[in-house]
Amino acid sequence: MKKILISILIGLSFTAVSCTSWLDIPKKGVIPEDEFYSSDAQAEALLANMYVSLQGANGVAGSSGIYNPQLMILNYSADDVLAAGGNPEDHGEFRVFDEFRYDNANSALLNLYNGYATGIYAANLIISHFTTENVNGEEPYFTSDYTDQCVAEARVMRAYLHMMMALSWYAPNIVDRVLEVDEYPVQATDQSQVLSWVISECDKAIKSGNLPERKGPNDKLATARASVGFAQFVAGKAAVFNNDMEKARKYLGALIESGNYELTPSEEYWTNFHVAGDGNSEKIFEPNFIEDANFTYSSFALGQPVWRGRWMVANVLCWRLDNLASTPTVCEKLPGSGGGWNGGAIQEDFAKKFLEHDGDSPRRRACFLTEEEWLYEMDWSGSQFNDALLIQKQRDPNRGISSQSGVYSHGPYFEWKFMVYHNPPKILTGGKSYPADNIASMGANSNQTNFNLARYAEALLLYAEACIGSSDAAKGLKALREVQTRSGSGKLSNKLTIEAVMEEKQYEMWFECCRFHDLVHWASRGFVDLNKVFNSSGIHEHVPTVSDAFFLLDESGAPAYPKYYQKEHHLVTTYSRAVFDAFTIGRNEYFPFPRDVKAANPYLEDVLGWSDYGD
Amino acid sequence: MIKNLLRVTGIFLVLTTLLGGLSAYAQNKPISGHVVDSQGNPVIDAYVTVVGNIRVSTITSLDGSYALIVPVGARVSVECIGYQTYTFTVGDRTVYDIVLEDDLEMLEATVVIGYGSQRKSDLTGSVVNLQLEDLRNLSTTDAAGALQGKAPGVHVITNGSPGSGADIRIRGYSSNGGDIAPLYIVDGLQVNSIQYLDPSMIMSIDILKDAASAAIYGAQAGNGVVLITTKTGVDGRPVVTYKGKATMQSFARRPQMGREDLLTYLGYEYGDAWVGKMLADYDYDHPSYPNGVIDQDWISAYIEPSWTQQHSLTLSGGNHSGHYYASINYLNENGVVKGDKDVYKRITAQINADYQIFRWLKIGSTASLERWDTKSVSQRGYSSSFELMLLMDPLTPVYWTSVSEMSSAVRQMYDRVMAGDKTIPQYRFLGDNNGWFANTKYSDTEGSPLARRDATDATSSGFNINGTLFANVDLFRSLTFTTRFGYRISQSMTHSYTAPFYIGRGSQDTYNLSATSNQGFYFQWENFINYELKRDKHDLTLMAGMSYRQDNADNMTGGSTGLDILPSYESQFQYLSYIKGDASKSLTNLPTRSASLAYFGRLIYSYDNRYSIQANFRADAFDSSKLSPDKRWGYFPSVSAGWTISNEPFFRDHVNTHTFNLLKLRGSWGRNGNISVLSGYRYANYIAVGNNWYQFDPENAGSVFSSAPDYSNGLPNPNLTWETSEQFDAGFDAGLFDNRLNVTVDYFNKQTKDLLFNVSVPIERGASSSTVNGGRVLNSGFEFDVQWKNSHRDFTYFVKANFSTLHNEVLELAANAARITASDASSTNYKLQTAFEPGYPVWYLLGYVYEGLDSEGDPIYTDFNGDGTISSDDMRFIGQGTPKFTYGLTLNMAWKGFDFTLYGAGIGGNSIVPVLHRTGFKNGLKVYLDQANTDANPDGPLPNPGKIVAPDNAFWSSSGNVFRGDYFRIKQMQLGYSLPDSFLRRTPLTEVRLYVSLDDFFTFTSYPGLDPETASTNNTTGTGLDWGSYPTMRKTIIGLNLTF
C-alpha cells in the first residue's frame, strides 16, 4: 500500500515538473523577424512582396472584391465613363462616383486608400531595413549592390503611390519609413508638399544609379519593375501637377530622349490594353500578372487557380450580355461566369465627339464601336452569318439587343477598350493571330492583362503640357504630334496649346485613370470650368437605355417600329432621370478620407470641403 | 435497419421469456404499491428488487407506482439514490405502499462539480442539475438541444440543418470573439462538442453557471461549464432497453412573395412598363402551371417532408463489485431539402464500466465510439442554396422541359456541347427526370437551388472515439487519489467532386476533385486527491490536483482542378489515384499541436448543515501559440458561501417547517478566463515566407516567392493575455409545502475584462488591425426557477418554469477604440453594421433611425448630426440581436398509464434584420409589400418599394427594417401511454411505452421571415442578421420504448 502511495506521488510530481517544456511549440512556416533582412535573396523576396502588393486583394492594380478600385473610382468620377449596372441602383458603390453621391463610408474608396497605403508599407520595408531611413537611423545589418537596387525601386514605387494619393486626397500622410507599432503617420499640409517630396525621392533614386534601366523599346524586363524611366515619369507627372513645369520638362524630356520607349504602331494601339501588348515598347511600368502555371496552381490555392488582380473586372467591363440576342465571340465565355455588367460604358456625348475627331481611326475602334460596327462587323457566337452579306446580318435575329428592356446605363456606342478578349476581335486584329486575355483554365472571368500604371503616350502628353509657353515648345509640339500621328485620326496640331493637349489627352488616355485628376488640375490652372463640365453640361441628369428596334414591341405587344421589326437592326436610345448630386466646387475635386481610416487615426484631418462635411 | 433491430429485439424477447419462464415455477404472487418520499411525493426510478434475485425487479414509474411478481416470503428491497433503502418481507398482503426516508448521509442527492461531487444541500454556487427526469422522453437527437428551455440563464440556439449542433450561451455574451461556447466536460473528458451524445445516454447534466463553481476549470471556464455524466449500470439484474422513433420533418412557413405579389412589388420598384418589358422578354405559357401561368413557390420546389429514424438498445446492470452500461444508438436523419443531399447518419456506442478490484482500488472506463456521415447543402451566405431558394423569382419554372425554354446563354452552350464542340468544356446541364433545372432569365441569380445542390458531390464521414480510463485509490480512510486519462481520437474524410456544368452565371468550366483526411489525438491526464473529514458537525473536503492536456491534429488535402484531369469521368474514376500525370495537383499537410498545464485545489467546509463555504483555486498555463512564455500563467481564485436558514433553531422554532421547509442563501465570487480567443502566435513577430509570388519577367515563366512580416492576424502584440471574467452571484433556494414547491432565485453580475479586440490601427503601420486586450463587458440578470409537483390519487403533475433576464452592456473598450464594427451584411451592400460600443449590448445593430414617411411618401431618417444629409455619421443603435430575456416552461402530467409532456422555450427583447433584399427580379419577404405605403395601402408604414430599390438604400439598414425577434416555441408536446403492469406481468417486459410527439410544431412570433430561432445561428458578430438559415422543422414523432 505504501509502495503504491509513494510511487504515485513520485509520478505525480514528475509529471508536474516535466510538462512545462511541452508548452513550447514553435510556429511553422515562418522565420523569426530578427533573423531576417540579411541577404540578397531576402531582399528580392521583399521586392516581390512590394510588387505583389499592387496586385493583391487591395492592390492598386488588383481587384478588391468585385472591382478594381483605382480603375473604377478614378474613371467614374470623370465625365466620359458611365458606371455599371442593370438598373439605377445596381453597383451602387461605384455609381455614386459617377453621380457624386459617395461619402466616406464607401467601401471601394477604403479599398483604394488601403491599396496605396499597403504598397507604401511594402516599399518602406525595403527602405527602412536596407538603409538608415528607419525610426532610429540605425545602420542596416546587411547591404549590397542588390539591396541598393531594391531600395531604389522601392523609393520610386513609394513615390508613385504617394503621388496618386496626393492627387486623390490632396493632403495624405507622407510615410517615409516603417512606423513603430504605436506610431501615427504624419499628414502633409497640402498637395504640393507631397508632390515636391515625390519629385525629390524620384530624383534621389535616379541619381543613385541603382535603378534598372530599360535597354531599348524591345526590352520587356524593365516594364515589370520600377526603372529609371518610371522614376522620370513619376517625377515629371508630379511636377506637372505641382505646376513646376521646368522640373517636369527635365524628367519627362530625359525619358523621351532616352529612346527606350516608343509608341506602338497605330494598328496595334489596342494591344496596349490586352495581353498582346504586355510589356510592349510603350509600357513604362505595369505590375506583371502571373502566368506561371506552377505558381498559379500552387498548393496555396488547394487546387483552385489563383485569380490575381483582374478577377471580375472582366465581368464589370463587359457588355450586359443577358440583354443581347447572342454572345459576341470576343467575350463568349462570360455568360458562364456572371455575364457582363456593363461597367465601362462610354458617355454618349463624348463618344460622338471622339468619333467626330478620330473618325475610323485604329485608336477610336480600339476604344469603342459604332452601332454599325457592333451589329455587323463584329462576330456573334450565336450567328450563322458572321461571314455573310450585310443584308443577311441585318435580318439575323442572333445579334443585337433582344431584351425589351434594353441595355440600361448604355448608349448606342459600345466600348471595349478594357474588355476581356476571349477571342481578340477581327475588327482590331485584321485577322492576325494574337494571344487571348484569358488563360483557358483560369475561369472565364479572369483577365491576365497587366494593369498599366504608366504608358509612354501619357508621358508625351504630360511633356507637351509642360512645354507650353516655354523654350521647349517645339519639343512639346513634337511630342503631341507623335501621339496624334499614332492615333490614326489624321489630325495634327501646328501649335502647342493647352486646348490641343487637353483635347488629345482625353481621347488618347480615355478610361486610363487620368481624366479626373487632369480636370481638377486644369481647373486649378483656370483652363477648365468644373461647374460647366459636371453640372451645367447635364451629363449626370439622364441615364441612357439603348434598345434594338428589330425586337421592340409596344405595350400592346405589336411591333414598336414596324419598319425595323424583324427586318433590320436599329438602335433606339431613351433616357431616364438619374439620381445625382451636384459636383460641389471646393469639395468634390478630392475624396474624403475613408471612415475606417479616420477611425484608426484620430490625427488625420479631412481637407478642403470635406473637413466640415458630415459634422 | 429497422428490420435488423426488430430481429435483435425478437431474440431478446425470446431469451427473456425463457428466463422469465424458469422463475415462474416457484410459488409466486403479484405485489404492487406506491413509493413516496417523506413528503408524500412519488419517488420515480426507485429500484424494487427481490433480495438475492436481482432478476426479479422493476422501476417505479412517474407516479411512483410499481408492480412485481415475487416468490412468497421473499424479501424485497426498494432503493433509490438520495433515500435510505427500505426492505420488507412479502406476507399476505398484495399492496405495499412504501415511504422512503431521505438519506442525509452519503446518498443524498449529489451534484457533479468538477474533480468531484458535492451534496446538493451544500452547494454554494449556482449550479443547474438536470437529472433523468428532466431528460426523459426528449426527442431531440442533440445533447445540447436537450438543454433548451430547461435551465434559467442558459440560452440554446438550434440550427435546423441535419447534424449541426446547437449553440449554448450561459449567462450572456461576455466576449466580442466568436468562441463563447461553454466548456464541455463529459465524464471528466474535455470535448469540443456534445453533439455525439444521444440524450438517452445521459445520466445527468450539471451546468456550472457562476464563476465560483466554474473556477476549478480556470482559464477555459469564462463562458460557464457543462458537465455531463453518462449513464452507468446500477446494482441489480440486467436491464435491456430498446427505444425507437420515427420523425417526419416538414416546413410550412411561406414568407416570400408569389407571382402576383412580386410583379406588383417590382412594378412599384421599377415601373410597370419595365416589368411588362421583362415579361415580354421572358414570360411564357407553361403547361405545368394552372392556365399556363408560371407561379412557382421555390420553397416547395426545394423542400419536402422527410423522415428520420432513430433506434437505441441498451444493456446495463451491476453488483457490489462492478457495473456496466452498454448502449448502441443509430440515427439516420434526412433533411428536408429534396433528395438525399442533406443527411446526417450517426452510430454511437457507449460502453461504461467500473470494477472494484480491491477494497482500496476501483478502476473504470467510459468510452464512446461514434461513426458519422454527413452531406450538407450551403446556407447562410452569398450564393448558398438557401439564399437562392429565397431569392429565386416565382416567374421561373422549376424545370425546362424543352431546349426552347432555355435562356439564350444556356441554349447557345447546350447547342455547342450537343454539336460536339471540343473547344469548350464538356458541360453538364443539370436536371432530373422531369427536365433541366431552370435558371432565371430575369436576373443574374447564380442558378436554381436545385442545380447548386447537385453541382457538387461531397461527403464527409468519420470516426470519433472519446473515453476515459480512471483509477480511484483509497490511500487512507477518507483520502482518495484519482488518476484519470482522457482521450479523443478522431478521424474524418471528405471527398468532393465537381464536373463542369453550365447554368449561365455560376457555371463551372473545370473539373474539381479533392479529398481531405483529418486526424486528431487529444489526451488529458489528470491526477487529484480528495480528502474528506467528518467530525461531529464539521464536514471538510479538500481536493488538489493537476492536469495536462495536449491536442494533436494532422491533416492531408489533395486535389486537382483543370479542364481534363482524369482518364475517364465515370464514378469509379473520381478518386485522386486516377489523376492524370499532367494535370495540376495540389497537396497540403500541416500538423498542429497545442498543450496546457494546470494545478488546482478546492476546500469545502460545512458546519452543522447550516453554514458552508467553498474556495477554489486554479493556475493555468498555455502553450506558446497562444501566449508568450513569460505571460503564460494565469491564476483563477473563487470563494462562495451558503447559509441554510431553515436548519437554524430559531427558524425551526418559529416557522412551520412543513409549510416552509427549506430556505438557503448563497453567495459567490470568482474569476475565470477565456482562452479560446487566443491563437496563432499573435504576440510574436515573424516573417511569412512564400505566401505570394511575383514574376519579374513578363516573358519567361519563373516566379520569385515573396516574404513580408506575417500580419495575417494583424500587428503582433507582445502583451496579449486572456480574457478574464469576474462574477458575483447571490441567490436563494426555497422549499415550501413539503418541497412540493421549489423556488430558486439568483442574481448574477459578471464583468469580463481584457477582451481581445481587433482594434483598427492606421494601415500605414502595415496592417489595419491589431489585437489588444481591453474593455469590459457586463452581463447581469436575475434567474428564476419555480417547480411545483403534486399528485392527486392517480393523477400526478409537475410544472417547472424558468425565466431569466439578461442585461448585457459593453462598459468600455480598449484604448483608442471608440466603436468596433463588423459588416456581416457587407456583401449584400447593406450599410448596416453590428457594433461593439460602450453603453450598448454587444454587437448591437447599428443603422439609421427610421421615422416614417413624409407627405411625399419619402422615408425620413433622423439626421443626428444635423448636416442635412443622411450619412454614416447618422447611424445609431436600432436594436440588439441578443435576447434580453429567455424562458422555458415544462409541464408533465401522468394519469394511470398516460403521460403528457409539454415544454417550450422562448426568448424576447431581441431584434432581427433580414438582409436578403436585392435589386432586380429577385424574391423577397412579402411583408415589404403588405406594409408598403402604396395606392392600395395608403396607410402602410413602410416606404413604397420604388423609394427603396437598392440594398444600400438607408431604409434597408434602418430601424424600419428591424423586426422583433421574440418567439415562444413549443419544443415538444408529447403524449405517451405505458402498458399497465397487469398486462406486462405476463410478459418479460417491465415497461412498454408508446408515444406521439409534436416537436417544434407551434411557434408564436411576429417575425415575418423564415425562422426567428435560426435566423442568426453560428454567428457572433452577425447576431440578428437573417441571411436565410436552414430553419427549424416541424417534427411529428412516433416512438416506442421497451424495457426488459
Side-chain angles (χ1 to χ4, degrees), chain A residues 436-490:
Chain A
D437 292 343
N438 170 262
I439 295 175
S441 58
M442 289 235 332
N445 59 349
S446 69
N447 182 347
Q448 278 77 50
T449 308
N450 288 344
F451 184 80
N452 184 232
L453 295 180
R455 182 159 76 83
Y456 186 52
E458 187 186 357
L460 289 170
L461 292 167
L462 285 165
Y463 180 70
E465 181 178 347
C467 291
I468 295 168
S470 78
S471 57
D472 290 331
K475 287 187 195 166
L477 181 64
K478 181 168 173 277
L480 173 64
R481 286 170 67 104
E482 205 176 327
V483 175
Q484 289 173 326
T485 306
R486 194 278 299 271
S487 74
S489 71

Side-chain angles (χ1 to χ4, degrees), chain A residues 150-188:
Chain A
C150 294
V151 167
E153 288 185 42
R155 202 179 290 287
V156 178
M157 269 327 300
R158 187 174 72 171
Y160 167 79
L161 296 165
H162 274 95
M163 175 184 75
M164 293 304 285
M165 291 190 92
L167 300 189
S168 295
W169 281 281
Y170 186 74
N173 299 309
I174 297 179
V175 190
D176 57 3
R177 56 174 169 74
V178 171
L179 299 175
E180 290 294 276
V181 288
D182 53 356
E183 189 180 4
Y184 287 93
V186 179
Q187 187 173 8

Side-chain angles (χ1 to χ4, degrees), chain B residues 368-386:
Chain B
S368 160
L369 290 76
E370 180 200 13
R371 158 81 195 179
W372 56 272
D373 279 276
T374 57
K375 289 186 206 173
S376 57
V377 294
S378 53
Q379 56 165 326
R380 202 176 198 285
Y382 185 77
S383 197
S384 64
S385 72
F386 266 80

Side-chain angles (χ1 to χ4, degrees), chain B residues 145-163:
Chain B
L147 294 174
Q148 197 168 24
K150 293 289 187 189
V154 179
H155 178 205
V156 178
I157 311 154
T158 62
N159 186 309
S161 158

